Amino acid sequence: MSARSLSKDQQQALLDAARAAQLKAYAPYSKFLVGAAVLDDQGRVHAGCNVENAAYPEGVCAEAGALSAMVLAGGQRARAVLVVGTGGEWITPCGGCRQRLREFCAPDTPILTASDVAMGPQFTMAQLLPGGFGPDHLEAKGTKP
Ligand SMILES: [Zn+2]
């Protein structure tokens, strides 16, 4: 699916789900609430929020939660992703989440961004993680060179 083929309804569903998830984020340390939503290969939307931890590195990002929800529901591929952060500035997935998303996204999968007040620019998976390592690199391997 190209970025252009994402309908307005699908975009709105992603934004609504991500913002609803954002409101439930657990971010007592950073106060930076993040919501993410994934449109799966069956047209369903799955959301996640960031969940911080007193042991800081153990916190998890919203995108990780959304992907986990997708996998739990039987989704296998992400057709589009949206992430929304706190404040007036749009955000993109962090480096670790770009790798997490790469597992389930095609190079042209649209990654939408938003702030509390407006949509931000739209990227593709390949723009956010050029030359990224993915499952295709591990296929048909297993024999010694
Ligand atoms: Zn992240």
Side-chain angles (χ1 to χ4, degrees), residues 61 63 93-94 96-97 100:
C61 292
E63 296 92 325
C94 76
C97 284
R100 290 184 181 95

Side-chain angles (χ1 to χ4, degrees), residues 3-20:
R4 283 181 292 278
S5 64
L6 191 66
S7 75
K8 285 289 181 193
D9 285 350
Q10 289 171 321
Q11 180 176 312
Q12 190 63 49
L14 284 170
L15 182 61
D16 291 347
R19 285 199 165 137

Side-chain angles (χ1 to χ4, degrees), residues 7-119:
S7 75
K8 285 289 181 193
D9 285 350
Q10 289 171 321
Q11 180 176 312
Q12 190 63 49
L14 284 170
L15 182 61
D16 291 347
R19 285 199 165 137
Q22 181 189 22
L23 294 176
K24 296 185 175 180
Y26 178 76
Y29 309 109
S30 73
K31 316 288 190 209
F32 194 83
L33 310 178
V34 181
V38 175
L39 177 69
D40 76 9
D41 50 320
Q42 300 174 51
R44 302 172 302 175
V45 173
H46 310 279
C49 61
N50 57 329
V51 180
E52 293 183 348
N53 193 287
Y56 285 9
E58 302 308 322
V60 293
C61 292
E63 296 92 325
L67 287 174
S68 182
M70 180 189 82
V71 170
L72 180 63
Q76 298 187 345
R77 301 293 295 167
R79 293 171 56 193
V81 179
L82 186 146
V83 59
V84 57
T86 299
E89 298 293 324
W90 52 269
I91 62 168
T92 58
C94 76
C97 284
R98 294 177 190 204
Q99 183 65 49
R100 290 184 181 95
L101 292 168
R102 170 68 175 80
E103 186 76 15
F104 300 99
C105 291
D108 66 346
T109 300
I111 311 291
L112 291 75
T113 66
S115 72
D116 281 346
V117 295
M119 292 297 295

